Amino acid sequence: MDDLVKEFLVESYENLDRMDRDFVELEKNPSTETLGSIFRAVHTIKGTCGFLGFNKLESVAHAGESLMSLLRDGALKVNQPITDALLAMVDAVREMLASIESTESEGERDDSALIARLGALQRVEAAPAASATSAAPDSQPADTDTDLANLSLEELDRLMEARARTPADPAGESRLGEILVQRGQTTMKQVDQALEEQDKGDPRRVGEILVQQGAAKPADVVEALQSQGEGRAVSDSTVRVDVGLLDKLMNLVGELVLSRNQIMQYAVSQEDATFAATSQHLNLVTGELQEGVMKTRMQPIGNVWNKFPRIVRDLAAACGKQIRVEMEGAETELDRTIIEAIKDPLTHVVRNSVDHGIENPETRTAAGKPAEGRLLLRAFHEGGQVNIEITDDGGGVNADKVREKAVQKGLINADQAARMSERELVNLIFLPGFSTAEKVSNISGRGVGMDVVKTNIEKIGGSVDVQSKVGQGTTLKVKIPLTLAIIPALMVTTGGDRYAIPQVSLLELVRLEGQQAKKGIEMVHGAPVYRLRGNLLPIVYLNGVLALNDRGQSSGGAAKNQAKHAGMSLDFESARYKHLLWKARLRAFLDGREALSEAQAVDHTQCDLGRWLYGTGLKEYEHVPAIHELERAHAELHSVIQQIVKLKHGGEKQAAEQAMAQVEPLSQRIIDLITEVEQKAIEAGVTNIVVLQADDRQFGLVVDGINDSKDIVVKPLGKHLKGITAFSGATILGDGKVALILDVIGISQSANVVSESREKTIATAAASSQEANGERESLLVCRFGADGRVGVPLSLVARLEQFQVSAVERSGEQEVVQYRNEIMPLVRLSRVLGENGAGAENKDILDVVVYREHGKSVGLVVEQIADIVEERITVKAERHGGHLLGTAVVQGKVTDILDVRSAIDSVNPDYLAQAEAA
Amino acid sequence: MAEVKQFSTFYLDKLLFGVEVGKVQEVIRYQDMTRVPLASAVVTGLINLRGQIVTALDLRRRLELSERAAERLPMNVVVRNGEEAVSLLVDEIGDVLEVEDETFEAPPETLQGVARELIRGAYKLKDRLLLVLDTEKTVNVGV
């Protein structure tokens, strides 16, 4: 296709889009400026298509232009029929443009009806046209900006003065004239005349002269000046570039980043100073180039939203509803490809809101809502992602109806439905084949929309979620990653391979060593969790998710492997147990209670322990002397056992018993050695946890090792691998090897971290583990007074000790006792609670509850211990003051629960506070 | 008038296979592969082909032949299907052969299983058969 035609199409589409927006704006807020903008757009289209020979297009545009001209001059007022007709013209023009695009001709069409309609509207309400000769144009439509209605020539003059950029610039002047001519508001001849006047020494400006000669209207001149000002600012500083070229640049930059990474990797091992400097420079420049090119692909989301006012207007009118569109953050920028991908989904959602979400005016007013519905579009950057929200204040999504419909359509079963939370139910609308609309209109309701929306958004790596309140409205939230191509990532190792984790999902890194590594990960209802600053973090094992077994090959049973990798490579506990079991069996055999064949007394390389030893154990722990001794002892044991069995079978009972006597010390030694190796394994063990964010949830990913972090180029996975949810792409590392990029959301889903029910489980576990509520608690119950009972929560306590009264010394006013190389202050409970327990002072031995915090111990002296109970405690009636947490029913009796910390603080306020601050 | 076609050939388990030469982008020696957990067993891994990440499929597994000996390193026959390149792992590379249409025969009815889908037929060469693979079907495993 001809370049000229191509450009014409691109520009015209833009103009049409602008016209759409302007028309909607016009209905709400008629202003000369908007009218002028629309007029110019139509005029430009008319002019160019005439030049290119598109006659049908020209006639339609011409009819529109004439109508626009009357509107702009104030001869006609804007009303709905006019707007409708003009929008119809816009649509007709669009159709013809589309036809030109595909067939290079306007196609067979007859727009005479449209043209007639536009013409008819021109004749209605023809008010007296503004006389061109008067200085002040009369009968303007109500407009709010620059009050052109009553400008005198002097004021006009000042305006022009203020707006002209370079006052005495003749080039600037003739442009003004050109603009006016272009717009058909004056003729070239007039402009020439005016310029001549100027040359002759007339001090007035072109615009002034023209107005005074009656060759142009003041309104036109002012507008021309305005656009001149804008035009220069905008058009000089932008350039049209073919999108294909930008994509190509993007690819090249991506390759450059890869090479840069390789050079940087190589540079590390090089001594040459020049090379180092040059490669560093290359690094910087590439980084900036990358940023720059990525910016070129960014477009404001407003470009997509701008179509919505028109769509909403038309739809609302068709449905008989009143809806206004509000936009926040239209300038938020997104990568071009993302915009392309979300255009349709967003449109569908908007149409849904209008069609099904927002109710008609009667229903709304009956419900106490304003008759006009509100559709709010919001966009903002947050956490490396673009958030887009579409909110309506309509009827909301009825969770019950959704549940019914889903069960009815067989999308879920009744069981599942009963267990789902409201939020989960509402999100069911994303299932394929779902729609609760009673009527299927040609707008929406066919049940193919929302799942396509979700798929399309997830395809580009985003997520979508819907929240709703019945009667109040619905909000759809979309989150999309900022850029697709080059992202910062953290490299980790698991199962011998490297993987990349996008930094945008990364919250923090936790490293557990030795004892912490073993104990740090606790089990709550069968699920591994880690206590991160008080909150329970669900744990996922990467080698479990990827189903890697010891030999590093993929196999099924991810869950099974997960549990396996939670421990060491040998289950020491199990090894000890099995050994003892065998010993018992051997004994029973000798006593004649059990049968044992020679074949069953296997060789030392064949039993579980043996296989582990000769498989990986000896290698892994070769630096641990205990393992070598273990090997020897173990081999010896096996040979003795074989001997025993043989002897017994041979009838030599006595000899067998003698051999058995050897077994006992051997066995003991083996148990000890296993424990020793286990200890070493624990100490050497390191657990790396990568704390990640998926949607709104956090979880910890356990990996073998953590490497460096770097920028990587995201390359898409081929079609064979696209379906694997754990991976979102691949990249080439500095050494040329390929590494897979983990899809954080995919992993969290497959490990079931993100389901709400599990979240609740963890939440309750967390809650109960933090307070003495609802879970079994150990409580030390003390009597005091007549029938008072106080419970001291033992979960907070390190030990129960007993001291001789004589061991109690004084440090100043504070009673203390020497305890484990510390001087530990004592706090007498009876004093704290304000009671003097009878006979408490007469004991020789003090029962002390040692409370430990921040490395310091405090002893709580309790008297008259009634009992130590383990019960489910529910603290009721939170009482503050009196050093009590509240009251609970323990063993059927009312018991106050002590606030240990408060009690301690009352006696020695600074002690623990100091320790905390230290 | 005999029509002549050219095939890029390779060996798998002593059998001679061929794909249309026009479909083959290049033939290269063994490349280090990054395995892909959770992928089908046919996907052996990913290779770096001059900056492009290409999926490598083990043809022995695809055709359900016996496994390659561990010490044998496969060669790569990179075929291009549309915009995507896929590498087929083979035992050894053969020559580019020209064959005449008349020597072509459809696969026998007795051919079972996956081989039936993927083998379009055979050309009778002087001393052996050249089995022709349907490139597209071969590459579209589990997609």
Side-chain angles (χ1 to χ4, degrees), chain A residues 672-701:
Chain A
D672 286 341
L673 286 169
I674 291 179
T675 311
E676 222 184 292
V677 176
E678 182 187 19
Q679 201 53 39
K680 280 283 182 305
I682 292 174
E683 280 167 27
V686 168
T687 303
N688 288 298
I689 303 179
V690 183
V691 183
L692 299 169
Q693 176 108 9
D695 266 350
D696 307 326
R697 274 82 156 197
Q698 299 179 0
F699 69 99
L701 187 68

Side-chain angles (χ1 to χ4, degrees), chain A residues 563-739:
Chain A
K564 192 169 169 189
H565 285 272
M568 311 291 162
S569 25
L570 174 73
D571 190 337
F572 291 96
E573 194 63 46
S574 164
R576 279 190 291 260
Y577 182 63
K578 280 205 197 126
H579 174 91
L580 291 171
L581 212 58
W582 245 98
K583 206 163 65 161
R585 205 169 163 197
L586 196 60
R587 182 70 255 164
F589 165 65
L590 278 176
D591 292 339
R593 285 177 283 132
E594 244 192 73
L596 204 59
S597 74
E598 284 189 46
Q600 278 174 303
V602 295
D603 191 57
H604 64 285
T605 53
Q606 294 306 313
C607 71
D608 280 340
L609 181 57
R611 271 189 281 144
W612 174 77
L613 272 172
Y614 299 108
T616 54
L618 280 169
K619 269 183 270 165
E620 237 181 282
Y621 296 103
E622 62 181 335
H623 53 280
V624 179
I627 197 120
H628 299 288
E629 215 196 310
L630 178 62
E631 191 210 348
R632 283 195 298 272
H634 178 244
E636 202 184 322
L637 182 69
H638 270 267
S639 84
V640 169
I641 292 180
Q642 280 173 332
Q643 216 182 13
I644 292 177
V645 175
K646 204 151 145 214
L647 284 171
K648 180 75 169 34
H649 278 293
E652 301 185 41
K653 221 167 159 238
Q654 254 220 329
E657 284 294 338
Q658 270 180 340
M660 186 65 186
Q662 285 181 324
V663 167
E664 189 49 49
L666 254 182
S667 159
Q668 195 54 48
R669 188 79 193 114
I670 286 178
I671 296 281
D672 286 341
L673 286 169
I674 291 179
T675 311
E676 222 184 292
V677 176
E678 182 187 19
Q679 201 53 39
K680 280 283 182 305
I682 292 174
E683 280 167 27
V686 168
T687 303
N688 288 298
I689 303 179
V690 183
V691 183
L692 299 169
Q693 176 108 9
D695 266 350
D696 307 326
R697 274 82 156 197
Q698 299 179 0
F699 69 99
L701 187 68
V702 174
V703 300
D704 289 350
I706 296 186
N707 308 104
D708 54 343
S709 90
K710 47 157 82 112
D711 278 352
I712 57 170
V713 177
V714 176
K715 300 236 174 213
L717 289 172
K719 58 185 178 228
H720 301 95
L721 309 168
K722 261 205 170 62
I724 305 179
T725 50
F727 305 122
S728 66
T731 185
I732 297 186
L733 301 173
D735 59 2
K737 295 236 172 70
V738 176

Side-chain angles (χ1 to χ4, degrees), chain A residues 186-504:
Chain A
T186 187
T187 66
M188 208 58 229
K189 206 158 142 240
Q190 304 275 32
V191 172
D192 283 338
Q193 272 181 355
L195 288 171
E196 266 178 54
E197 291 282 319
Q198 270 196 332
D199 287 335
K200 284 197 218 139
D202 190 327
R204 292 173 305 164
R205 314 262 217 68
V206 174
E208 241 181 273
I209 302 177
L210 287 173
V211 167
Q212 285 204 316
Q213 311 277 29
K217 305 192 192 107
D220 292 338
V221 173
V222 173
E223 263 178 70
L225 283 168
Q226 272 183 328
S227 73
Q228 214 184 22
E230 290 164 22
R232 206 171 302 159
V234 173
S235 61
D236 284 353
S237 61
T238 59
V239 153
R240 264 196 209 289
V241 178
D242 181 48
V243 154
L245 179 59
L246 279 182
D247 282 344
K248 193 161 166 220
L249 279 177
M250 193 67 206
N251 277 342
L252 289 173
V253 171
E255 298 297 328
L256 187 62
V257 166
L258 283 177
S259 293
R260 184 272 312 262
N261 287 353
Q262 281 184 286
I263 289 191
M264 293 318 287
Q265 190 144 353
Y266 182 64
V268 165
S269 58
Q270 293 307 303
E271 306 261 317
D272 191 279
T274 321
F275 181 64
T278 313
S279 57
Q280 189 51 31
H281 187 233
L282 174 69
N283 191 14
L284 284 172
V285 173
T286 308
E288 283 189 50
L289 179 63
Q290 174 191 333
E291 265 184 58
V293 169
M294 294 214 286
K295 276 216 204 102
T296 65
R297 290 160 54 101
M298 303 293 259
Q299 272 188 352
I301 197 174
N303 286 6
V304 173
W305 285 357
N306 283 332
K307 306 205 194 298
F308 290 164
R310 164 91 198 265
I311 294 177
V312 169
R313 176 203 178 270
D314 289 345
L315 257 180
C319 301
K321 300 180 187 171
Q322 295 168 18
I323 303 178
R324 79 168 177 278
V325 176
E326 283 175 14
M327 303 192 220
E328 265 175 46
E331 64 287 344
T332 310
E333 291 192 326
L334 294 184
D335 187 275
R336 244 199 68 252
T337 39
I338 301 180
I339 292 208
E340 278 309 304
I342 63 170
K343 234 193 335 201
D344 288 336
L346 287 186
T347 312
H348 179 89
V349 172
V350 165
R351 299 183 88 143
N352 247 4
S353 286
V354 173
D355 200 19
H356 301 299
I358 298 188
E359 321 91 323
N360 58 41
E362 296 85 51
T363 322
R364 287 181 68 87
T365 33
K369 294 200 229 181
E372 190 186 39
R374 174 177 176 254
L375 189 65
L376 172 63
L377 304 166
R378 277 186 76 209
F380 53 96
H381 287 301
E382 192 184 68
Q385 298 195 308
V386 177
N387 298 47
I388 302 173
E389 291 177 6
I390 301 183
T391 311
D392 69 53
D393 62 352
V397 176
N398 189 324
D400 291 318
K401 265 174 87 186
V402 169
R403 190 197 284 124
E404 262 176 56
K405 240 336 171 346
V407 173
Q408 197 183 70
K409 294 205 182 215
L411 296 167
I412 52 168
N413 63 44
D415 254 349
Q416 290 172 306
R419 276 184 281 140
M420 284 183 157
S421 69
E422 201 176 306
R423 174 134 172 212
E424 286 173 318
L425 280 172
V426 166
N427 276 289
L428 282 179
I429 59 175
F430 290 116
L431 287 176
F434 191 94
S435 174
T436 54
E438 270 95 39
K439 283 186 307 157
V440 168
S441 64
N442 64 351
I443 300 167
S444 46
R446 231 165 292 150
V448 292
M450 289 314 264
D451 70 308
V452 173
V453 168
K454 183 160 188 210
T455 320
N456 282 351
I457 291 186
E458 287 182 347
K459 229 196 285 197
I460 53 172
S463 67
V464 66
D465 179 67
V466 71
Q467 287 170 359
S468 177
K469 264 211 165 66
V470 173
Q472 285 185 22
T474 315
T475 302
L476 185 96
K477 296 194 186 179
V478 175
K479 288 201 187 148
I480 312 170
L482 256 183
T483 84
L484 305 175
I486 303 178
I487 57 170
L490 175 72
M491 300 305 300
V492 300
T493 308
T494 289
D497 291 320
R498 281 176 295 178
Y499 299 94
I501 301 180
Q503 202 132 78
V504 75

